[in-house]
Amino acid sequence: ANFGLVAAVIGASVDSSVVVVTGIAGVIADALSMGSSGYLAAKSEQEVYTHEIAMEKEEIRLMPEVEEEELALIYQAMGFEEEKARQIASEVMASPERVLEEMVREQLKIGEPHTTPLKEGWITGSATALGAFIPVAPFLVLTGSTAVLASFALSMLSHFAVGGARCYFTGRGLLRSGIDMFVVGLGVAAIGYVLGDVLVRWI
């Protein structure tokens, strides 16, 4: 996003200092936006899980027979014979805490939390800030067309690198994954540059 913003400002043919100010403002805005989104998403997920667990606890209290039947069916699905599954379910039902633990894990599919909303927000915001700063960095040490070319080259290399890294998760080839991201970044830069050029002529 910030690469497109910087490209738009460059397209408007403004002074390098304006590019830096705009770019840094974009870094801060992107980081705060994505960081707060990550925080709220993790917090909402946590609240949903807490609500589902509370509902399951209430169902165990109000309808123990139904819950025992559900537990027996779960054990049968895991491979136990019907009689054995019912025996295990009956034993588990003797402890409300254990019943809840089993139902949360096996029925609701809720595991132990691996992160917190604050941690998720901080990681997301920091990663976004790092990525958003890449197209701005060259303008802090270079000027003119040299800074523009360096920003473009560094940003496109970063796009390719991030795209290529996806191959470890998607199983696609390194080159194809990198080119996908490269093309998207190039399109964002082109659109941003043209819009900046057009808008400055109209204003």
Side-chain angles (χ1 to χ4, degrees):
N2 209 38
F3 183 38
L5 177 62
V6 170
V9 179
I10 292 171
S13 302
V14 298
D15 187 75
S16 293
S17 61
V18 178
V19 177
V20 172
V21 171
T22 304
I24 291 177
V27 169
I28 295 170
D30 284 351
L32 290 175
S33 175
M34 292 301 293
S36 59
S37 294
Y39 169 81
L40 291 173
K43 188 171 186 292
S44 296
E45 182 181 70
Q46 198 176 69
E47 289 171 348
V48 168
Y49 287 166
T50 299
H51 177 65
E52 288 183 347
I53 291 171
M55 288 180 62
E56 186 64 36
K57 186 176 182 179
E58 188 66 7
E59 287 176 6
I60 292 169
R61 186 182 70 84
L62 296 174
M63 302 177 292
E65 299 84 2
V66 174
E67 294 300 302
E68 183 174 343
E69 183 66 25
E70 288 183 1
L71 202 54
L73 291 174
I74 289 173
Y75 291 138
Q76 287 181 58
M78 292 169 64
F80 289 97
E81 296 292 335
E82 181 178 352
E83 185 178 342
K84 183 63 175 178
R86 290 185 179 280
Q87 179 187 341
I88 297 172
S90 178
E91 292 173 358
V92 171
M93 288 300 296
S95 171
E97 292 79 12
R98 189 179 171 192
V99 179
L100 182 61
E101 182 182 323
E102 290 282 291
M103 297 302 281
V104 166
R105 184 177 63 250
E106 302 297 341
Q107 186 181 53
L108 301 181
K109 305 299 182 184
I110 299 175
E112 290 294 324
H114 299 292
T115 185
T116 64
L118 280 175
K119 184 179 179 181
E120 188 69 26
W122 181 83
I123 291 174
T124 304
S126 298
T128 301
L130 179 62
F133 185 71
I134 290 173
V136 185
F139 289 93
L140 298 177
V141 294
L142 302 171
T143 57
S145 58
T146 306
V148 173
L149 290 173
S151 175
F152 178 78
L154 190 59
S155 297
M156 295 313 298
L157 282 172
S158 299
H159 274 81
F160 183 85
V162 171
R166 292 187 308 155
C167 73
Y168 293 105
F169 306 100
T170 63
R172 296 184 68 201
L174 174 66
L175 188 61
R176 287 183 62 190
S177 294
I179 288 176
D180 281 352
M181 195 76 168
F182 183 91
V183 170
V184 170
L186 187 62
V188 169
I191 293 171
Y193 184 87
V194 171
L195 284 176
D197 183 57
V198 170
L199 287 173
V200 78
R201 295 174 191 273
W202 286 357
I203 296 176

